[in-house]
Amino acid sequence: MLKKSNPSVPWRVAAPSCVWPDTAAANCRLLSRSVDEVGLYLLELESCLAYGPDDLPKKDYGLRYHLHLPLDLPFAHGGDTAFYAMEPLLQKTARLRPWAMVLHPPATLAALEAFLAALADAGRDPATVLLENTEDASPADVLAMAAATGCNACIDLGHMLAMGHALPTDDPELARRTRMLHVYSPFGAEGPPPGRSHVHRALGCLAPEGRDALVWMLGNLRPETVVVEVFAPAPFMESLHVLDAVATGRDAPDACPAEDS
């Protein structure tokens, strides 16, 4: 598998902490055999605030860590309120020394600025916040917000493909700000599922234009970390093989599992 020690690639390969239907602690123990880094996916604020001592890893398992902050932060009540609501999660994970925090950006720049001001007042660097493109925020939107606030970016291939968003390849902020990629296929051969923008399918499900985008991103953006954002064990392992092939210039497998995350 692609490990940081592989001299042919300059990035770490990472996994989400929810590949297996078990605790983050159990996932990290299992994932340490295959990847260099794990993103602790703290996606629901209240349930993650309730985590007990057995839910998160007690040791680092030789892994590097980052955080994916909750999707339901209370930005409607102000960016500072959103920060203070989730700050206990930073304390719960401090022993693992996460190097970055992925954030789905709020609807307004003012809310983001207030969030980052509170974060800075708590002694944390806004540059460690990686804004992720979503259904509502294109890569170009994210780069503009990052440049305005001193954040960096996490470019999500699946969101970009599902929404038909363009990758702003002529914007120098793209290479300057992109420190992480999320990679997966947003749907299989059946196309987008009704009623939602996309799912998280194995990398082998990427259409040719999706593979072309992945090759371009890996060759031109030089992120620190590439997260295989697939949430089931077999498709995740299959995706590691595809990423390995794409990154080293070999033909990637075409297999697309019939069922996926």
Side-chain angles (χ1 to χ4, degrees):
M1 297 303 171
L2 283 174
K3 300 290 285 185
K4 179 60 179 172
S5 57
N6 184 341
S8 67
V9 297
W11 57 78
R12 293 176 174 84
V13 178
S17 61
C18 42
V19 174
W20 278 267
D22 207 328
T23 63
N27 270 266
C28 291
R29 177 175 55 81
L30 293 167
L31 289 164
S32 64
R33 305 167 186 170
S34 303
V35 298
D36 302 300
E37 181 172 329
V38 167
L40 296 172
Y41 274 45
L42 309 171
L43 300 183
E44 297 178 343
L45 180 61
E46 292 303 321
S47 61
C48 293
L49 288 172
Y51 276 172
D54 295 328
D55 291 305
L56 293 168
K58 294 185 175 68
K59 58 181 182 178
D60 63 22
Y61 295 109
L63 294 163
R64 194 190 200 204
Y65 290 91
H66 67 270
L67 308 180
H68 194 308
L69 297 181
L71 305 180
D72 56 352
L73 292 177
F75 277 110
H77 299 289
D80 53 347
T81 298
F83 173 77
Y84 293 122
M86 71 88 194
E87 189 178 19
L89 297 178
L90 305 185
Q91 299 164 4
K92 283 178 180 284
T93 57
R95 67 180 181 277
L96 299 171
R97 302 180 299 281
W99 71 275
M101 296 170 272
V102 176
L103 176 67
H104 284 200
T108 67
L109 183 60
L112 177 61
E113 289 172 335
F115 178 91
L116 295 172
L119 179 139
D121 287 345
R124 298 179 180 272
D125 185 356
T128 62
V129 176
L130 310 185
L131 301 179
E132 180 184 355
N133 59 296
T134 65
E135 288 92 342
D136 300 316
S138 71
D141 296 332
V142 161
L143 293 175
M145 286 187 283
T149 58
C151 293
N152 285 295
C154 169
I155 300 299
D156 186 297
L157 175 67
H159 279 129
M160 186 183 77
L161 295 174
M163 302 309 298
H165 290 152
L167 190 65
T169 56
D170 58 348
D171 185 347
E173 294 294 337
L174 181 61
R176 184 179 299 132
R177 299 279 176 183
T178 300
R179 301 189 66 190
M180 184 180 294
L181 300 178
H182 285 176
V183 299
Y184 57 95
S185 179
F187 34 72
E190 74 283 357
R196 56 183 296 185
S197 64
H198 70 295
V199 290
H200 287 245
R201 301 294 303 268
L203 278 175
C205 297
L206 281 173
E209 58 269 25
R211 292 199 186 195
D212 289 345
L214 176 59
V215 168
W216 191 95
M217 292 163 74
L218 294 176
N220 291 275
L221 299 185
R222 298 286 173 161
E224 289 190 35
T225 296
V226 176
V227 184
V228 177
E229 203 175 47
V230 177
F231 304 119
F236 173 79
M237 298 305 295
E238 167 69 20
S239 296
L240 289 184
H241 288 290
V242 173
L243 180 61
D244 193 359
V246 170
T248 54
R250 296 181 287 111
D251 290 335
D254 289 324
C256 181
E259 295 184 4
D260 206 327
S261 55

